[in-house]
Amino acid sequence: MKTDKKQNQYRINEQIRVREVRIVGESGSMVIPTKQALDMARQQEVDLVEISPNANPPVCRLIDYSKFLYQLKKRQKEMKAKQVKVEVKEIRFGPQTDEHDYQFKLKHAREFLEEGNKVRAYVFFRGRSILFKEQGEVLLLRFANDLEECGKVESMPSLEGKKMFLYLAPKKAGVAKKSQQARDREAIETEQKEAVKQQKPQKSMAVEADAPAGGGLLANAKISADALKKLTEETDA
């Protein structure tokens, strides 16, 4: 017969053999003789449960032990359900990976990190390509720099056999830093927007200069009056 480890984890009732205990509850805490605490438990039809045996004196509660174990198991189950399973995704490079392939793998690595997974990137050196290990290290460092807005380096590039590894972990939401490349791109976009805003007033001024003085309804009225006067002069002639 299997024993319930959780059930044996706490001493209850007569198993508590110290002289006095600290009883904690909604109304506060008090230190009383253990015999008195046992009498209180019997009167309330509950159990005396030792929840902190290393305290001086040990801390106990007057509760239903079966209900206590059920609530404890429920809390542990809820905590386990909230835990996110972190996977380690691998990204493989060659020492002479071309730019298109690099950008493709960079995109996938960014998606992995944003989903909360870790990334293990490595450069595989086949045969004599081990001579290009410095080139592989530079590639991995560039990779880490391009992902700094969503990932943090857990360990710098290190050579293990024919593979050089780099480990990245996801950054917590709200603390991610933007890469220098992203900051430069945003700066260029901001400058372009400012240039467009400055051009719009100049165009408006040019249109206003071509329009008759007064503009709007006054300008239209003046044009209509001039046309009518000219037509009248032609008719009289």
Side-chain angles (χ1 to χ4, degrees):
M1 182 177 179
K2 293 183 179 179
T3 57
D4 191 337
K5 292 182 180 180
K6 288 182 181 178
Q7 191 168 354
N8 295 330
Q9 185 178 353
Y10 301 93
R11 288 186 293 186
I12 63 171
N13 300 327
E14 284 75 14
Q15 295 175 355
I16 305 170
R17 295 192 175 92
V18 294
R19 188 172 65 178
E20 59 183 13
V21 294
R22 181 181 295 276
I23 302 296
V24 295
E26 295 179 358
S27 58
S29 68
M30 59 181 175
V31 177
I32 59 175
T34 304
K35 186 178 183 301
Q36 183 181 345
L38 287 169
D39 291 339
M40 291 174 61
R42 292 190 193 99
Q43 291 173 5
Q44 297 179 27
E45 297 183 347
V46 292
D47 300 296
L48 179 65
V49 182
E50 186 183 60
I51 59 174
S52 183
N54 296 326
N56 186 23
V59 178
C60 297
R61 291 182 63 188
L62 297 172
I63 51 177
D64 184 322
Y65 188 50
S66 298
K67 186 177 180 180
F68 170 73
L69 289 178
Y70 171 77
Q71 291 176 343
L72 182 65
K73 186 177 180 180
K74 184 179 179 181
R75 283 197 301 268
Q76 290 175 343
K77 188 176 181 180
E78 289 174 351
M79 289 176 62
K80 188 176 180 181
K82 290 179 180 179
Q83 290 178 347
V84 179
K85 185 178 179 182
V86 178
E87 296 183 8
V88 179
K89 303 290 187 177
E90 284 195 344
I91 301 289
R92 172 177 170 170
F93 292 102
Q96 296 178 330
T97 300
D98 61 47
E99 184 63 22
H100 179 270
D101 192 28
Y102 174 83
Q103 292 296 334
F104 178 78
K105 292 178 178 179
L106 181 68
K107 177 184 176 183
H108 280 287
R110 183 174 287 110
E111 291 173 355
F112 293 149
L113 291 168
E114 289 174 350
E115 290 171 359
N117 299 305
K118 292 187 177 183
V119 171
R120 177 170 61 191
Y122 68 93
V123 179
F124 179 68
F125 300 98
R126 190 191 304 274
R128 294 178 60 83
S129 65
I130 193 68
L131 298 173
F132 299 99
K133 62 181 181 180
E134 289 81 7
Q135 189 172 339
E137 183 177 4
V138 170
L139 186 148
L140 290 176
L141 291 173
R142 175 194 174 190
F143 189 68
N145 183 67
D146 289 344
L147 292 170
E148 68 173 344
E149 61 187 85
C150 56
K152 58 182 179 181
V153 177
E154 283 195 331
S155 65
M156 296 299 286
S158 60
L159 188 64
E160 299 176 19
K162 294 185 177 181
K163 296 179 181 178
M164 182 174 286
F165 290 95
L166 170 74
Y167 291 87
L168 297 169
K171 283 186 175 179
K172 292 182 180 179
V175 298
K177 293 182 180 179
K178 294 180 180 179
S179 65
Q180 185 62 46
Q181 185 178 8
R183 290 195 293 268
D184 292 342
R185 184 169 59 250
E186 287 185 357
I188 294 172
E189 290 176 355
T190 303
E191 290 178 1
Q192 291 175 344
K193 288 179 181 179
E194 290 297 328
V196 171
K197 287 181 181 179
Q198 291 176 3
Q199 288 176 1
K200 284 182 178 180
Q202 292 176 359
K203 289 182 178 179
S204 300
M205 290 173 64
V207 172
E208 290 174 1
D210 293 339
L217 294 173
L218 287 174
N220 293 335
K222 186 175 184 302
I223 294 171
S224 299
D226 291 343
L228 181 60
K229 182 178 178 182
K230 184 178 181 181
L231 181 62
T232 303
E233 291 175 352
E234 291 177 353
T235 303
D236 293 341

